[in-house]
Each structure stands twice: as structure tokens, then as C-alpha cells.
Amino acid sequence: MQGLSVVICTRNRVQDLTRCIHSITKQDIGRTCPIEVIIIDDGDIPEEILSEYEALLTGCGYSFVYHSKTDRGLWLSRLKAVELSSMDKILFLDDDVEIPGHYLSTLSQTYLDYPNCAGVGGIAIGMSNSFLGTIRCLLSFQQSLSSGKLSLSGQAGSMYNWHKARKIFKTEFQHGCNMSFKKEAIKDLGPVPWLKSYSVGEDILMSRIAQKSGPLYINPELKLLHHESPASRDNLEDVAYTRVLNHVHLLKDKNSGPVGYLALVWTTLYLILREQPKKNIAAINGYKKGLKEIFSRQTAG
């Protein structure tokens, strides 16, 4: 069906999720575009809360789908959402965002304006770098000179300059809190062994897969408020380690040469130095484990 599936993958953030749902009910899109809201839950939402969501959404003319799963992980939630979606376009929102009233209508119009695209993404308000921050990100290979490109080490830091954009631009990646795709472009997604739990880099991989079907765009009018609840409830050491390890996999998937891996080493060394003044031993240990992983894999390769 031509329409939009709004997908929210969540885990035990009822307050954040409720705020997000309320913002979805305040859209000016009317009933011209069929909308369904899909919640993929890795936690436990009380029945009375689900009933409240259903009443709010159906009152706006939206259909509501709820799925609770036991095999936790963000990537697996994305896969389940694609399976459950009955619309031809899928918007993924984080549970801790709020979208302005024009968001869905603007997104729908962007797909009409760019009919050959595979996906359209937006910008998180407040996600920006100072001049010195941009210099640091460029020197540590966390950011590219081009807003729509990943860095040499495969990092997505260029999104911190997206707030400067005044018109729609092409990109090779989207931000996971605020990304959408044509279902046809991501319908063949499957399990990925290294994307577990918080699944660092899953938005980059999904964008890469979708891009095989057509170009991706960022529309600077698609701004949302990202409250940035804790990104992961996992152990800080594991998160830091996974941040490095998953980018190793992303570089391998891209068939990156030695330059990419050397850049990732440099990026990781910078991240270690950045944590030293904070004495964040858990993160430092995680990044050090990641460095060892880079070297061991390159040696083995």
C-alpha cells in the first residue's frame, strides 16, 4: 500500500515513548496519506499504556501495530518492522524524539519530489559542532569534508554539520534516530551476526544496502528534537569496544583498503586520549580492546 509506516523501536522508555507518540498525533498530514505506527518492543509496556496509544493513534486515523520480542537487539527490531510494515515507505524514529507538526507531510512531499530515491533522512536539532570541534573531528577522521560522506575511518561525524544545510543534499548515510526508506530498498535485510544489542553502525549498514536501489537524501526541513536519553544501557566498556569493532566490520563490508583501517586506528587513539581527562577507565579499556581487534584482524588477513 502506498503510505508510511512510522516505526519506533523501544526498550523500557515509556515516558520518552509517550512523548514521541503524542508528537505523531499532532501532524498536519490529515488523511491524505495512509499512516500506520509500529512499535517494536524489547521491554515491557503496560497494557493500559498500549490501550492509550491505540486510542490516540486510531483517533487520528492511523492504524497501530505492537510487537513484543524476546530476541533483543536494534537490528533485529528493524528487521521485524520491515516484515510487519504494510506500507511502501518506512520511517524509523527513536523513542526519545519529538517531531514537529509538518514532519510527516514534508517527508511525504519529499518522496514525491524525488521519486527515484531510495530513502530520505532528516536532522536532529542541537546536533552540531563548534568550529574547533569540527577541526578536531576532521583531524581525528571522525568527519569528512563532505556533509554526505563518511570519514576515512567510516565514522558518521559529518552529520554534525547537517544543521548548516539550506537545501536537500545527497548522502551515503542517514542518522538512525531520523531515517526513512522505501520498503523495496530494504525488504531483503537479514540477520547480521556482528550487529547485536545496541547495534552500533546499523544505520550506516542499512543506508548502504538501501543505496543500491537509488540515491539517499537529507532534507534539512525534516528537523526533530532528539532528547537523547542514554544511547545504550549496556556496559560502557562493551559499548566502546563495539563502536570500534563494528566499524571494522563496516570497513570490511565496504572492501576498504589499508588506509581505512589505519584511519580507524587513529580515530580510536583519539577517543582514548579524549577519555583520559575524565578518567573513564571502562571506555578506555573498551577502545583498547578495539585497537587489539583491529591489529589482530589485519594480521590474520
Side-chain angles (χ1 to χ4, degrees):
M1 182 185 298
Q2 290 192 345
L4 181 65
S5 296
V6 182
V7 174
I8 310 169
C9 303
T10 189
R11 179 188 168 196
N12 297 334
R13 286 177 175 164
V14 171
Q15 184 175 355
D16 286 326
L17 180 59
T18 300
R19 182 175 54 210
C20 181
I21 293 291
H22 276 280
S23 73
I24 295 171
T25 66
K26 298 174 182 176
Q27 297 300 297
D28 62 10
I29 196 168
R31 305 198 180 205
T32 57
C33 174
I35 303 289
E36 67 178 358
V37 177
I38 302 174
I39 294 177
I40 308 295
D41 187 15
D42 275 358
D44 185 20
I45 301 175
E47 286 292 334
E48 61 272 18
I49 299 296
L50 290 174
S51 296
E52 176 189 336
Y53 294 164
E54 184 170 19
L56 286 167
L57 294 167
T58 55
C60 296
Y62 306 157
S63 57
F64 176 59
V65 178
Y66 173 76
H67 179 80
S68 178
K69 61 192 246 304
T70 55
D71 47 344
R72 290 180 176 175
L74 181 55
W75 181 257
L76 295 177
S77 292
R78 305 286 203 210
L79 299 188
K80 178 55 68 173
V82 175
E83 177 187 327
L84 293 175
S85 169
S86 63
M87 302 296 179
D88 67 335
K89 296 176 286 293
I90 302 175
L91 166 66
F92 291 101
L93 297 175
D94 276 7
D95 56 9
D96 57 350
V97 307
E98 285 182 90
I99 58 176
H102 68 84
Y103 187 99
L104 296 186
S105 59
T106 300
L107 178 62
S108 180
Q109 185 60 48
T110 307
Y111 274 103
L112 292 175
D113 293 340
Y114 295 84
N116 296 323
C117 76
V120 177
I123 298 170
I125 296 172
M127 181 173 281
S128 62
N129 256 348
S130 64
F131 175 75
L132 289 178
T134 297
I135 297 299
R136 285 195 296 269
C137 283
L138 287 170
L139 292 177
S140 59
F141 299 136
Q142 295 181 84
Q143 187 172 315
S144 167
L145 287 170
S146 171
S147 294
K149 297 287 186 182
L150 296 168
S151 71
L152 280 176
S153 62
Q155 311 290 311
S158 300
M159 72 175 68
Y160 284 90
N161 281 334
W162 286 357
H163 69 287
K164 299 177 182 177
R166 295 295 178 265
K167 60 182 181 179
I168 295 173
F169 61 92
K170 280 188 177 181
T171 183
E172 63 180 8
F173 69 97
Q174 297 189 49
H175 185 198
C177 81
N178 185 11
M179 64 181 182
S180 75
F181 304 96
K182 288 181 178 175
K183 184 176 180 179
E184 184 68 20
I186 55 173
K187 65 181 177 64
D188 294 326
L189 296 178
V192 176
W194 51 271
L195 283 176
K196 301 175 182 178
S197 187
Y198 181 53
S199 305
V200 176
E202 51 82 28
D203 46 1
I204 295 175
L205 181 61
M206 186 173 288
S207 297
R208 187 174 294 168
I209 292 169
Q211 204 171 10
K212 295 175 183 177
S213 299
L216 304 177
Y217 293 94
I218 298 298
N219 185 344
E221 291 187 16
L222 293 170
K223 291 184 174 73
L224 54 69
L225 184 59
H226 191 193
H227 292 280
E228 297 191 72
S229 292
S232 173
R233 273 66 58 92
D234 295 334
N235 178 277
L236 283 177
E237 181 173 331
D238 291 339
V239 171
Y241 172 65
T242 302
R243 180 175 179 182
V244 179
L245 180 63
N246 284 12
H247 278 89
V248 172
H249 287 293
L250 287 167
L251 289 172
K252 181 179 179 181
D253 175 77
K254 194 178 181 181
N255 295 317
S256 177
V259 171
Y261 294 101
L262 287 172
L264 183 57
V265 169
W266 184 254
T267 297
T268 308
L269 287 171
Y270 168 80
L271 294 173
I272 290 172
L273 289 173
R274 189 185 67 179
E275 297 297 338
Q276 291 288 354
K278 308 174 192 175
K279 300 188 184 301
N280 193 342
I281 304 303
I284 291 170
N285 289 339
Y287 289 132
K288 286 180 177 178
K289 283 173 60 179
L291 275 179
K292 292 178 181 178
E293 193 68 37
I294 299 172
F295 289 122
S296 65
R297 286 173 181 265
Q298 287 303 292
T299 304

